[in-house]
Amino acid sequence: MAETTMQPKENRLLGLLPEDEYAAVVAHLEPCAIPRGFIIAPADAIIEHAYFPCAGIGSVINISPEGNRVEAGLFGRDGFAPAAAVVGASISVPEVAVQVPGFAYRLRQNTLLDLMNTQPVFASLLHKAVYVLATQAGFTALSNAVHEIDERLARWILMCHDRIDGNELALTHEFIALMLAVRRPSVTTALHLLEGYRFIRSVRGLVIVRDRAGLEDFASDAYGKAEDEYERLIGPLRKSKRGPNDIPSPRPA
């Protein structure tokens, strides 16, 4: 069993449960580390557990019959995965994998379904989380169709930034390219552009957010609608626009 000082309530869904429901759910939770690359749910495989991260970021990845891969959604301590677990589906069609390592608590799927039948707030929060993840996936599809790679990258960095402590994201160019379904040179070019505006600093395997407000302004309508819906239905998600370590940036002309 993994050791941690993190409590289940550091997952935002679990933290919103009333005391009696929290106690009922916690009694069945199993703590586990989720290292980078850990597969929460293999594609087209039987679902065994639902995971509730307290730290780290996971990706929902659709895989074509030819093996092409693209990220459809991401989640962290704001949610859980796989989404199919709450409807009693035995199979997860997408792969769910960890991209930023962290820690989670997990429930066996049959236990999850039993708890949903007896704990109404728990069931309601899970249903809302599934809906907002679907909303996020819809806006990802829209962004892929209408926005340039640099705006899509800004959106994706903001979404990751919302789900971590601090300003450092341990992400490689190769992984970002996979998640955005673009070639690695396109990611490198877009990172250099964002770095030139001082929104971020990019070093090997690390993206550091320097100017959150500038990044949001640059992302424009690529970012925000799915986050609005999460906050309307569940609770706070986004970081403040200006953090104590932010460095004001010159704005793009």
Side-chain angles (χ1 to χ4, degrees):
M1 181 178 294
E3 295 181 0
T4 182
T5 59
M6 290 187 170
Q7 298 300 310
K9 64 180 60 179
E10 294 184 58
N11 175 276
R12 288 177 179 164
L13 300 180
L14 298 179
L16 288 170
L17 294 175
E19 186 175 337
D20 58 336
E21 292 203 20
Y22 181 77
V25 173
V26 166
H28 298 280
L29 291 174
E30 176 186 352
C32 55
I34 48 172
R36 186 197 305 275
F38 178 77
I39 303 299
I40 286 174
D44 300 315
I46 293 174
I47 297 170
E48 295 184 356
H49 296 90
Y51 288 74
F52 295 80
C54 297
I57 298 175
S59 291
V60 180
I61 303 168
N62 287 331
I63 306 173
S64 74
E66 294 78 20
N68 296 311
R69 300 161 63 88
V70 66
E71 183 183 70
L74 63 82
F75 64 94
R77 59 193 172 195
D78 57 304
F80 77 100
V86 305
V87 298
S90 60
I91 299 292
S92 174
V93 174
E95 177 182 279
V96 184
V98 175
Q99 58 170 287
V100 175
F103 195 87
Y105 286 85
R106 69 183 188 182
L107 281 171
R108 290 194 174 275
Q109 189 192 20
N110 59 347
T111 304
L112 176 86
L113 295 172
D114 289 344
L115 286 167
M116 290 178 68
N117 287 329
T118 59
Q119 312 300 325
V121 177
F122 183 55
S124 175
L125 284 169
L126 295 186
H127 288 143
K128 289 175 180 178
V130 170
Y131 165 70
V132 295
L133 184 63
T135 300
Q136 182 200 116
F139 278 97
T140 295
L142 176 63
S143 187
N144 287 348
V146 304
H147 293 123
E148 299 295 333
I149 176 60
D150 46 7
E151 294 169 313
R152 291 166 54 200
L153 178 59
R155 172 184 183 259
W156 192 76
I157 291 172
L158 287 165
M159 291 167 65
C160 290
H161 192 226
D162 286 334
R163 291 163 172 86
I164 64 162
D165 294 321
N167 295 315
E168 295 186 357
L169 291 159
L171 300 166
T172 66
H173 291 201
E174 290 84 359
F175 189 85
I176 296 170
L178 172 63
M179 293 302 97
L180 295 179
V182 297
R183 296 174 62 245
R184 186 186 183 282
S186 299
V187 169
T188 301
T189 299
L191 284 170
H192 286 164
L193 185 146
L194 298 182
E195 192 168 23
Y197 290 133
R198 300 183 188 173
F199 300 151
I200 65 168
R201 182 180 175 210
S202 177
V203 296
R204 185 173 182 85
L206 195 67
V207 174
I208 303 165
V209 176
R210 303 178 70 198
D211 181 358
R212 166 86 189 200
L215 202 58
E216 284 196 35
D217 290 345
F218 183 83
S220 188
D221 68 342
Y223 170 82
K225 288 291 290 184
E227 290 70 28
D228 287 343
E229 196 67 351
Y230 184 97
E231 293 178 342
R232 183 178 75 86
L233 292 174
I234 297 176
L237 173 66
R238 286 172 283 202
K239 289 186 176 178
S240 63
K241 280 196 173 186
R242 182 73 65 192
N245 297 320
D246 281 356
I247 301 169
S249 306
R251 292 295 182 262

